[in-house]
Amino acid sequence: MAITWKGVFPALTTKFTVKDELDLKLFEKNLKFQLTSGVDGVILGGSLGEASVLTTEEKQRLVKFAVESVAGKVPVILNIAEGSTREALQQASYAKEWGAEGLMILPPMRYSSDHRETVTYFKTIAESTDLPIMIYNNPVDYKTEVTLGMFEELLECPNIQAVKESTRDVSNVTRMFNRFGTRLKVLCGVDTLAMEEMLMGADGWVAGLVCAFPAETVAVYRLVKAGRIEEALAIYRWFLPVLELDIHSKLVQYIKLAEVQTGIGSEYVRAPRLPLEGKEREKILKVIGESVANRPALPDYLSIRTENTFA
C-alpha cells in the first residue's frame, strides 16, 4: 500500500465514555467530519490520542474500527512510541495485522538515545515491516533529535519516507530539502508553524486542532498549495489563538474541549489526566468561544485539486 505523505493528517484524539471506556460511536462521528472535510489520512495512537494509557486491546479495536470506517478513502497510520525496541517491533507487527497502512515512529521513550542507538532503533523497526514509515522528530518534547546525519543513514531504508517535523525550527524544512531533495516528505507537526512551513515547501500538516476544526485546517493547506496565500493567511490569522492550544502540556484536554465546542467530541480523558476546571477551563473556553463565534466563511476549498492519492 503506497502513501503519498501529502496533505492534512489529523492526529486523532481517543474518545472515552463517562465510564472510561472507548467511545467508538463518538470517534466515528468525529472521523466522518474529518473525511467530509477532506483530510488525507488519519493517525491513531499519538500523544493527542493518549496512547500511553491505552491497552493493546484498545489500540486493536481503534485501528480495526478506523480501517473499516474509512473504507480505503484515506490511509490509517498507527503511531509507535515505546521504551524498548522489542515492544516497538511488536507494535509494528500488530499494526500490519490490524490493517494499518503506515506507521509514525518516535525515538525510544524514557531514554535519550545517542546517534548510533537512534539510527539502529529506527532501522530495526523499518527492516521488520513493509509498512511506509514517517519519523516523528520532536526533540523539544521528547528530548532526542533526529539529525540530518541520522536521516542520511535512515533513508537507506526505502520504507522510511517522511518526517513529522516538530523541531520548532522552520528553517529545518529548507535544510532537509537541500540535503535530501524530494526523497523525504516533510510534514509540519506544530500547528502554530504550519503555514510558515508550508510556504517553505512542506508537503503536509500533521495537525492537532483539526480534531475540532477540520474544514478550516484543510482549507488553509489547500489554499496555500494553490498559491492563494492571502485567502489562506486570513483564515490562519483567525486560527492562531486556538492553534496555540496545541503547544501546551495539556493539549489533550484543551483540544478535547475545543471538540466539545464544535460538536464533535467530549471532554473525557483518561487518568492521570483530568478534565479542566475552574479559572483554567474558563480561560480556554474563552479562547475557543471567541474563535467559534468568529469562524470565517470558507471558499470552496474542496474543489481545489491536489495531487494527493492513496492506492
Side-chain angles (χ1 to χ4, degrees), residues 46-268:
S47 313
L48 192 50
E50 298 175 75
S52 63
V53 292
L54 296 179
T55 66
T56 298
E57 188 270 338
E58 286 173 326
K59 289 181 183 179
Q60 178 184 29
R61 289 178 64 201
L62 272 175
V63 172
K64 287 189 170 183
F65 185 84
V67 169
E68 182 179 349
S69 297
V70 304
K73 296 181 183 71
V74 300
V76 174
I77 297 157
L78 180 64
N79 183 61
I80 293 178
E82 301 298 335
S84 73
T85 303
R86 177 181 295 181
E87 185 56 33
L89 289 169
Q90 182 65 74
Q91 291 294 314
S93 177
Y94 283 149
K96 178 79 172 183
E97 177 186 331
W98 298 338
E101 289 91 5
L103 302 173
M104 182 171 77
I105 310 178
L106 278 155
M109 296 289 95
R110 297 179 292 278
Y111 171 68
S112 185
S113 51
D114 67 15
H115 181 117
R116 181 171 64 93
E117 291 168 329
T118 303
V119 169
T120 300
Y121 176 79
F122 283 129
K123 276 192 169 184
T124 301
I125 301 169
E127 290 168 357
S128 77
T129 182
D130 61 355
L131 291 177
I133 291 171
M134 174 166 58
I135 301 297
Y136 185 179
N137 190 16
N138 186 347
V140 176
D141 293 321
Y142 299 113
K143 310 310 176 189
T144 299
E145 181 176 3
V146 187
T147 65
L148 294 179
M150 291 179 189
F151 275 115
E152 189 77 53
E153 298 177 52
L154 291 174
L155 294 185
E156 295 171 5
C157 299
N159 58 334
I160 294 180
Q161 300 171 354
V163 56
K164 179 182 177 183
E165 164 52 40
S166 299
T167 62
R168 312 297 203 271
D169 182 355
V170 175
S171 59
N172 210 38
V173 175
T174 302
R175 291 189 189 99
M176 284 187 285
F177 285 130
N178 284 348
R179 183 81 165 259
F180 307 117
T182 60
R183 168 62 181 84
L184 186 69
K185 300 300 180 185
V186 179
L187 288 80
C188 180
V190 182
D191 276 0
T192 56
L193 298 176
M195 184 165 174
E196 290 84 347
E197 292 203 357
M198 285 188 287
L199 288 170
M200 293 299 101
D203 301 286
W205 181 359
V206 177
L209 267 300
V210 67
C211 293
F213 298 94
E216 289 85 355
T217 306
V218 177
V220 170
Y221 169 79
R222 293 200 180 192
L223 289 167
V224 169
K225 290 303 179 180
R228 294 162 59 175
I229 305 305
E230 290 302 319
E231 291 174 87
L233 186 57
I235 301 169
Y236 192 62
R237 285 174 173 166
W238 158 84
F239 214 171
L240 188 61
V242 285
L243 292 179
E244 289 179 331
L245 302 180
D246 182 58
I247 54 173
H248 192 279
S249 60
K250 291 188 179 179
L251 80 162
V252 175
Q253 291 95 317
Y254 291 177
I255 292 175
K256 282 194 167 185
L257 186 56
E259 288 179 318
V260 173
Q261 301 309 302
T262 57
I264 51 176
S266 75
E267 289 186 69
Y268 299 126

Side-chain angles (χ1 to χ4, degrees), residues 257 276-287:
L257 186 56
L276 303 177
E277 62 180 21
K279 290 184 178 179
E280 181 182 21
R281 187 173 187 276
E282 291 174 10
K283 176 184 176 182
I284 302 305
L285 272 176
K286 185 174 184 294
V287 172

